[in-house]
Amino acid sequence: MLMVYDDPSNQQSLSLDDGSSTEESHDDTRLSLETNTDTVPYIGQRFATHDAAYQFYSEFAKRCGFSIRRHRTEGKDGIGKGLTRRYFVCHRAGNTPVKAANEGKQQRNRKSSRCGCQAYIRISKSSELGAFEWRVTGFANHHNHELLEPNQVRFLPAYRSISEADKSRILMFAKTRISVQQMMRLLELEKCVEPGYLPFTEKDVRNLLQSFRKIDSEDESIDLLRICRNIKDKEPDFKFEYLLDSNNRLENIAWSYASSIESYDVFGDAVVFDTTHRLTAIDMPLGIWIGVNNYGTPCFFGCVILREENLRSLSWALKVI
């Protein structure tokens, strides 16, 4: 569906590239998806900052089934003028320029997602009573491509992110050398979400791990105890215990996050201790404590890595958690 608005006091057609423009008309005013009018951008809508406008439009786009990006800025010359107008567009706006063939360099044959979509919002800077604000002066919600369903739109790069807390967890898992699939499953258990519903994908985790290796290329074996202590400094309720052998080497280590400890206090009446997972890279068993919440969803209580799966190690693990 199509919805196009424009401020008659600020008439200007949007050009997403040098050879394209859009004619804005009120004759075909329709909405892309069924949305609450209170959450739909409108001409004259005001924002304190352009970042606030971007956030509002991004949330609207997510509900509709697309994502956005910053496209073009305009300003005036002279002291004190600066930026006066911004455009935010659909992530599929514009067209990918054709690259010149280079026989000496192998070209990556990747299909672009850009298809010349004309959906956009334009905001202009204005001042009233000496205070600056940003006002919506143009808005078109016409897309020349299919919009994604709610269970698909979350996979768009704009809506995928790894929080700093999750980065710390992944960094710790990287030291234990568990697989990315195991990392994802542990995080799903800890957050009590269904498989595939984390705000990031396996590819995002692999890219993050690659960045870790670039930062610490001389020592890929990151100190697990140091990581635990760093997390403890940031999250006082984080709990970890470890055991050193006679040679002062790490023998066993167990840890649990604050959210997992809270889940244990509520749902810890029945606990399963699962040691069927094994870290093939270092041939060590990985044990996890799991429970079930009121919705029947498994929840994560804690995790342990043991050098040997024997009575002494298992007894230690059951006492420290």
Side-chain angles (χ1 to χ4, degrees):
M1 302 178 73
L2 169 65
M3 179 168 58
V4 177
Y5 297 112
D6 210 350
D7 188 349
S9 65
N10 194 354
Q11 290 291 340
Q12 179 176 341
S13 62
L14 174 68
S15 177
L16 300 182
D17 51 51
D18 294 337
S20 64
S21 64
T22 179
E23 293 292 332
E24 299 172 344
S25 169
H26 293 278
D27 296 336
D28 297 319
T29 303
R30 294 184 295 175
L31 201 61
S32 289
L33 289 178
E34 293 296 331
T35 53
N36 188 327
T37 54
D38 294 337
T39 60
V40 177
Y42 59 89
I43 298 301
Q45 187 175 12
R46 300 177 179 185
F47 299 94
T49 64
H50 56 78
D51 287 332
Y54 179 88
Q55 184 63 32
F56 179 88
Y57 189 38
S58 178
E59 292 174 357
F60 167 77
K62 188 174 184 179
R63 291 192 299 272
C64 287
F66 67 102
S67 65
I68 65 172
R69 58 182 172 86
R70 293 174 172 86
H71 173 58
R72 193 175 72 208
T73 60
E74 297 176 356
K76 296 180 179 179
D77 297 331
I79 299 175
K81 297 296 183 179
L83 184 65
T84 59
R85 187 178 294 127
R86 300 206 65 156
Y87 289 85
F88 305 136
V89 300
C90 174
H91 72 288
R92 302 194 67 177
N95 296 287
T96 304
V98 179
K99 295 182 179 179
N102 188 341
E103 296 181 359
K105 184 178 180 181
Q106 184 177 2
Q107 298 291 330
R108 298 180 65 181
N109 186 21
R110 285 194 307 179
K111 184 178 180 181
S112 173
S113 64
R114 299 191 181 186
C115 60
C117 181
Q118 298 291 321
Y120 82 103
I121 189 173
R122 181 179 66 228
I123 58 174
S124 300
K125 193 174 185 179
S126 62
S127 62
E128 290 185 6
L129 300 177
F132 288 102
E133 63 181 6
W134 291 86
R135 186 165 56 94
V136 176
T137 57
F139 174 48
N141 201 36
H142 175 248
H143 300 266
N144 61 354
H145 56 89
E146 291 186 3
L147 300 177
L148 300 178
E149 297 295 330
N151 63 338
Q152 299 173 322
V153 70
R154 60 191 178 87
F155 291 114
L156 291 173
Y159 304 123
R160 300 202 314 258
S161 62
I162 304 178
S163 67
E164 292 301 321
D166 287 336
K167 287 181 181 179
S168 297
R169 288 158 168 74
I170 293 170
L171 186 60
M172 177 185 293
F173 293 148
K175 170 60 182 176
T176 66
R177 300 187 187 181
I178 65 176
S179 67
V180 174
Q181 291 87 348
Q182 289 172 323
M183 293 182 192
M184 298 291 286
R185 185 53 182 155
L186 288 176
L187 289 167
E188 289 165 353
L189 288 171
E190 181 188 345
K191 298 176 182 296
C192 295
V193 300
E194 295 292 331
Y197 275 81
L198 289 172
F200 48 86
T201 64
E202 288 188 13
K203 182 179 179 180
D204 297 325
V205 174
R206 296 183 193 278
N207 290 338
L208 181 65
L209 294 176
Q210 186 64 31
S211 67
F212 286 157
R213 296 188 183 100
K214 290 180 180 178
I215 294 173
D216 197 4
S217 57
E218 295 183 358
D219 183 14
E220 294 186 7
S221 177
I222 304 170
D223 188 352
L224 180 57
L225 288 179
R226 174 172 55 84
I227 296 173
C228 288
R229 294 188 180 104
N230 289 340
I231 296 177
K232 182 70 174 179
D233 292 337
K234 298 177 183 178
E235 303 179 30
D237 292 332
F238 173 77
K239 178 183 178 182
F240 75 100
E241 298 285 346
Y242 62 94
L243 181 66
L244 302 178
D245 62 14
S246 58
N247 295 321
N248 206 35
R249 295 182 304 174
L250 185 63
E251 184 173 354
N252 304 324
I253 184 169
W255 66 87
S256 185
Y257 294 95
S259 58
S260 299
I261 295 173
E262 293 176 359
S263 295
Y264 177 78
D265 292 338
V266 179
F267 307 113
D269 295 335
V271 180
V272 175
F273 182 50
D274 183 6
T275 58
T276 57
H277 300 280
R278 197 168 189 87
L279 308 181
T280 55
I282 53 179
D283 195 28
M284 293 176 65
L286 170 70
I288 55 176
W289 287 268
I290 305 174
V292 179
N293 61 21
N294 289 339
Y295 299 98
T297 303
C299 49
F300 174 76
F301 294 147
C303 188
V304 65
I305 296 177
L306 307 171
R307 181 178 298 177
E308 299 290 342
E309 191 175 0
N310 52 35
L311 180 60
R312 175 174 173 271
S313 295
L314 292 174
S315 298
W316 176 87
L318 293 173
K319 290 178 181 177
V320 299
I321 191 63

